[in-house]
Amino acid sequence: MVEILLVPSLRRGNGSGHLVRCFGLAQTLGSLAAVYLPDTGNSDTWSADELHLAYPLETGSVRIIGKLGSQARFRLIVLDNRQTSLDALEYWSAMGSVVAIDEGGEARACASYLVDILPRHRSSKWYDYSPNIASLGFLSLPQARREPPRAIRRVMVSFGGEDPAQLAEAFLQATLGGNMLCTSQLTVVTGALSHAAINFPGITAIGPVQDLKEKLKSYDLVVTQFGLTAFEAAWAGCAVLLLNPGAVHEQLSRTVGFVSLGIRKPNTRLLSKVLKDPAELVLKTQATVPEYRDDLASLLASLAPRHAGACPGCGSPLGRAIYRDKKKTYRSCPVCGLVSMASFVAKANPYTQRSYFFEEYKAQYGRTYIEDIPKIRASAATRLAIIESLVPGGHDSQLLLDVGCAYGAFVAEAQDRGWNAIGSDLAEDAVEYVREKYGIPAFVADFAKPGADGLYPRGLSCLSMWFVLEHFDELARVLWRVASLLKPGGVFAFSTPSSTGISARRSLSGFYSHSPDDHFTVWNPQTAPGILKRFGFDVQRIVVTGHHPERFSGVPNEPASIRYKATMACSRMLGLGDTFECYASYSGISVKKPSTTTAEYR
């Protein structure tokens, strides 16, 4: 079964590097991958027939897909497309989690996962959108290498699969016209998609070369444009001299440190100088060599996307990335403001394990969950007082369900206050403790699991989730289920980390970097009311919690100090706590379920 669809740029004039890279990845990934070459082309793009003729060995050794049905789905859609529009990104996102390689268009802001191989220039409109991972080592670097040359005797001229700017001819005219090289020293490689003829007698001209990068070490100098061949030649040990088709290539050449002859028309004075004394050119070329070889195919095969689609709050498909690292991407929805996390690392669920509540809990808080129950019950009493003030008609004997009840601190307090309390949790040990210790009904269940509606009691006056909601990747399904279980006027109460607390304000990247890898949504008091309104909830009260003065710059962790107390008061007044509690009543009136391609809305 094909899990990874590789989508190269097929636009005429974009060169062949994207296509060749996708062929190489498909060969390495084997049966996992296929290359998308649409059956039909046009004046702007290469057709599948043209590409089969130009690359018979490559197209014959990998799986090719020429047509995609409406139900086509893949684990990953890999766009090696140079520049992708938002419309195109939305189209591909409907079929799988999008990984974009060296993306330079609008999609850079919104792609689920971003890999940069070649460096970017600061003048780029999308420069500020950092990748999940960047490495020159992801280039398909040659195995064959040589010692750097001391003199220039053999020269390869290669300007990719197309050379639409006819850079090879421009270089040859400058070189031969100035008698800088003999024709016997020059070898010109024409690309598979190039129709230009080499009309210089005595020059060796060869057609497309299978696995060209392994032949590079036979040459002292490789003349090319900024791109894959330049780095491959530098890695192989050759001197590299560039002639670029446009300003962007020229800017990138200078950013990396390659020596360039300029744009389209070679600088003959510089060319003569480096051919006579290549020592400086060799040094500058070696400075561009990647530090190590990396494996892009292995990276792609390892990515395990989870919740990498549309916004889980409103279904909008194109949230903008606000933080990326190797494991995850956080995107902010432009419609509802919810921040959601796309995870790309498979991870076991720790909440079913007893160790989570004991060894791990103690490592973080200095005591086990059981030892912490008196403190948790004190917080539960405060929370229940707020809930009881919102429940119409009193709470005596009213149904309350605590999702993620753990070892029962909240449901025990609720029962003592007259509620008909019920608990559910993923951990069997915790559920058994609640039943035996408190005699409270409790059961093991995953609240987000499809088809689990019948497990939960309906007509609830309260449904609570204390630091649970952020763990659900299918948020919409969870919120619709909450709405279905509450009776009109019932209260949905939850607590969650805040993206507008002091930790996020001090360092947003630090906040998301340290955010747990299973927190799929990140909330804040400002956007919560609008998000919940879509599901029929009216927020009645928000309480900002998690005030930590020691997280403010220059404030010591000394609760008795005047500075600590003053900062605590300021944090409370300005709502700078790192967590908050939300209390919302169910009105029974919700925004119509959005139509989208993500599973939670189908």
Side-chain angles (χ1 to χ4, degrees), residues 64-86:
I64 304 296
I65 292 179
K67 182 178 292 186
L68 295 169
S70 60
Q71 300 302 312
R73 296 292 182 272
F74 303 90
R75 174 163 60 91
L76 297 177
I77 302 287
V78 180
L79 300 183
D80 193 348
N81 204 31
R82 190 172 179 182
Q83 292 184 333
T84 308
S85 69
L86 290 183

Short mmCIF file of all heavy atoms in Angstrom, two decimals, residues 64-86:
data_model
loop_
_atom_site.label_atom_id
_atom_site.label_comp_id
_atom_site.label_asym_id
_atom_site.label_seq_id
_atom_site.Cartn_x
_atom_site.Cartn_y
_atom_site.Cartn_z
N ILE A 64 4.49 4.94 -10.28
CA ILE A 64 3.98 6.23 -10.77
C ILE A 64 2.47 6.24 -10.64
O ILE A 64 1.79 5.28 -11.00
CB ILE A 64 4.37 6.47 -12.24
CG1 ILE A 64 5.90 6.37 -12.43
CG2 ILE A 64 3.85 7.80 -12.73
CD1 ILE A 64 6.68 7.44 -11.70
N ILE A 65 1.93 7.34 -10.11
CA ILE A 65 0.47 7.54 -10.06
C ILE A 65 0.12 8.72 -10.96
O ILE A 65 0.69 9.81 -10.81
CB ILE A 65 0.00 7.80 -8.62
CG1 ILE A 65 0.18 6.53 -7.77
CG2 ILE A 65 -1.46 8.23 -8.60
CD1 ILE A 65 -0.25 6.68 -6.33
N GLY A 66 -0.78 8.48 -11.91
CA GLY A 66 -1.13 9.51 -12.87
C GLY A 66 -2.47 10.15 -12.64
O GLY A 66 -2.75 11.22 -13.20
N LYS A 67 -3.29 9.52 -11.83
CA LYS A 67 -4.64 10.06 -11.57
C LYS A 67 -5.01 9.78 -10.13
O LYS A 67 -4.73 8.69 -9.60
CB LYS A 67 -5.65 9.43 -12.51
CG LYS A 67 -7.07 9.98 -12.36
CD LYS A 67 -8.03 9.34 -13.37
CE LYS A 67 -7.71 9.75 -14.78
NZ LYS A 67 -8.73 9.24 -15.74
N LEU A 68 -5.63 10.76 -9.49
CA LEU A 68 -6.04 10.63 -8.09
C LEU A 68 -7.55 10.70 -7.98
O LEU A 68 -8.16 11.66 -8.44
CB LEU A 68 -5.40 11.73 -7.24
CG LEU A 68 -3.88 11.69 -7.12
CD1 LEU A 68 -3.37 12.98 -6.48
CD2 LEU A 68 -3.45 10.49 -6.29
N GLY A 69 -8.15 9.70 -7.36
CA GLY A 69 -9.58 9.71 -7.14
C GLY A 69 -9.96 10.59 -5.96
O GLY A 69 -9.10 11.00 -5.17
N SER A 70 -11.22 10.86 -5.82
CA SER A 70 -11.69 11.74 -4.75
C SER A 70 -11.48 11.14 -3.37
O SER A 70 -11.45 11.87 -2.37
CB SER A 70 -13.18 12.06 -4.95
OG SER A 70 -13.95 10.86 -4.94
N GLN A 71 -11.33 9.82 -3.31
CA GLN A 71 -11.14 9.16 -2.02
C GLN A 71 -9.68 8.84 -1.73
O GLN A 71 -9.38 8.13 -0.76
CB GLN A 71 -11.96 7.87 -1.97
CG GLN A 71 -13.46 8.07 -2.15
CD GLN A 71 -14.03 9.00 -1.10
OE1 GLN A 71 -13.77 8.83 0.09
NE2 GLN A 71 -14.83 9.96 -1.54
N ALA A 72 -8.76 9.34 -2.53
CA ALA A 72 -7.34 9.04 -2.35
C ALA A 72 -6.86 9.59 -1.01
O ALA A 72 -7.09 10.75 -0.68
CB ALA A 72 -6.52 9.63 -3.49
N ARG A 73 -6.18 8.74 -0.24
CA ARG A 73 -5.65 9.15 1.06
C ARG A 73 -4.25 8.55 1.24
O ARG A 73 -4.00 7.40 0.86
CB ARG A 73 -6.55 8.68 2.20
CG ARG A 73 -7.95 9.29 2.21
CD ARG A 73 -7.93 10.77 2.53
NE ARG A 73 -9.26 11.33 2.58
CZ ARG A 73 -9.93 11.81 1.54
NH1 ARG A 73 -9.36 11.81 0.34
NH2 ARG A 73 -11.13 12.31 1.68
N PHE A 74 -3.36 9.35 1.84
CA PHE A 74 -1.99 8.91 2.08
C PHE A 74 -1.57 9.37 3.47
O PHE A 74 -2.11 10.33 4.01
CB PHE A 74 -1.04 9.51 1.04
CG PHE A 74 -1.42 9.19 -0.38
CD1 PHE A 74 -2.28 10.04 -1.09
CD2 PHE A 74 -0.95 8.04 -1.00
CE1 PHE A 74 -2.63 9.75 -2.40
CE2 PHE A 74 -1.31 7.75 -2.30
CZ PHE A 74 -2.15 8.59 -3.01
N ARG A 75 -0.60 8.67 4.03
CA ARG A 75 -0.07 9.10 5.32
C ARG A 75 0.63 10.45 5.18
O ARG A 75 0.47 11.34 6.02
CB ARG A 75 0.89 8.06 5.88
CG ARG A 75 1.61 8.49 7.15
CD ARG A 75 2.22 7.31 7.89
NE ARG A 75 3.19 6.61 7.09
CZ ARG A 75 4.51 6.87 7.06
NH1 ARG A 75 4.98 7.87 7.79
NH2 ARG A 75 5.34 6.17 6.33
N LEU A 76 1.41 10.60 4.10
CA LEU A 76 2.12 11.84 3.85
C LEU A 76 1.97 12.25 2.39
O LEU A 76 2.02 11.40 1.49
CB LEU A 76 3.62 11.70 4.15
CG LEU A 76 4.07 11.40 5.57
CD1 LEU A 76 5.58 11.22 5.59
CD2 LEU A 76 3.64 12.49 6.53
N ILE A 77 1.78 13.53 2.16
CA ILE A 77 1.91 14.12 0.84
C ILE A 77 3.17 14.97 0.87
O ILE A 77 3.24 15.95 1.62
CB ILE A 77 0.70 15.02 0.48
CG1 ILE A 77 -0.61 14.24 0.55
CG2 ILE A 77 0.90 15.64 -0.90
CD1 ILE A 77 -0.83 13.26 -0.56
N VAL A 78 4.18 14.61 0.11
CA VAL A 78 5.45 15.33 0.13
C VAL A 78 5.51 16.25 -1.09
O VAL A 78 5.60 15.79 -2.22
CB VAL A 78 6.65 14.35 0.12
CG1 VAL A 78 7.96 15.12 0.14
CG2 VAL A 78 6.57 13.40 1.31
N LEU A 79 5.43 17.56 -0.84
CA LEU A 79 5.45 18.55 -1.91
C LEU A 79 6.87 19.06 -2.11
O LEU A 79 7.42 19.76 -1.25
CB LEU A 79 4.53 19.72 -1.57
CG LEU A 79 3.04 19.41 -1.35
CD1 LEU A 79 2.28 20.71 -1.09
CD2 LEU A 79 2.46 18.68 -2.55
N ASP A 80 7.48 18.69 -3.22
CA ASP A 80 8.78 19.22 -3.61
C ASP A 80 8.51 20.13 -4.80
O ASP A 80 8.80 19.82 -5.94
CB ASP A 80 9.71 18.07 -3.99
CG ASP A 80 11.16 18.53 -4.11
OD1 ASP A 80 11.39 19.76 -4.11
OD2 ASP A 80 12.05 17.67 -4.20
N ASN A 81 7.94 21.29 -4.49
CA ASN A 81 7.20 22.04 -5.50
C ASN A 81 7.69 23.47 -5.71
O ASN A 81 7.05 24.24 -6.39
CB ASN A 81 5.71 22.07 -5.10
CG ASN A 81 4.80 22.28 -6.27
OD1 ASN A 81 5.10 21.87 -7.38
ND2 ASN A 81 3.69 22.95 -6.03
N ARG A 82 8.78 23.83 -5.01
CA ARG A 82 9.36 25.17 -5.10
C ARG A 82 8.44 26.23 -4.50
O ARG A 82 8.79 26.86 -3.51
CB ARG A 82 9.72 25.53 -6.54
CG ARG A 82 10.54 26.82 -6.64
CD ARG A 82 11.06 27.05 -8.04
NE ARG A 82 11.80 28.27 -8.15
CZ ARG A 82 12.34 28.71 -9.28
NH1 ARG A 82 12.19 28.01 -10.41
NH2 ARG A 82 13.01 29.84 -9.30
N GLN A 83 7.29 26.46 -5.10
CA GLN A 83 6.33 27.43 -4.56
C GLN A 83 4.92 26.85 -4.69
O GLN A 83 4.48 26.52 -5.79
CB GLN A 83 6.42 28.75 -5.30
CG GLN A 83 7.71 29.51 -5.06
CD GLN A 83 7.73 30.87 -5.74
OE1 GLN A 83 7.07 31.07 -6.75
NE2 GLN A 83 8.47 31.80 -5.19
N THR A 84 4.23 26.75 -3.55
CA THR A 84 2.89 26.16 -3.53
C THR A 84 1.89 27.20 -3.03
O THR A 84 2.12 27.84 -1.99
CB THR A 84 2.85 24.93 -2.60
OG1 THR A 84 3.89 24.03 -2.96
CG2 THR A 84 1.51 24.22 -2.70
N SER A 85 0.80 27.36 -3.74
CA SER A 85 -0.24 28.31 -3.32
C SER A 85 -1.07 27.71 -2.20
O SER A 85 -1.07 26.50 -1.96
CB SER A 85 -1.15 28.65 -4.50
OG SER A 85 -1.93 27.50 -4.86
N LEU A 86 -1.83 28.57 -1.51
CA LEU A 86 -2.71 28.09 -0.44
C LEU A 86 -3.82 27.21 -1.00
O LEU A 86 -4.24 26.24 -0.36
CB LEU A 86 -3.29 29.27 0.33
CG LEU A 86 -2.31 30.06 1.20
CD1 LEU A 86 -3.04 31.16 1.95
CD2 LEU A 86 -1.57 29.14 2.18
#
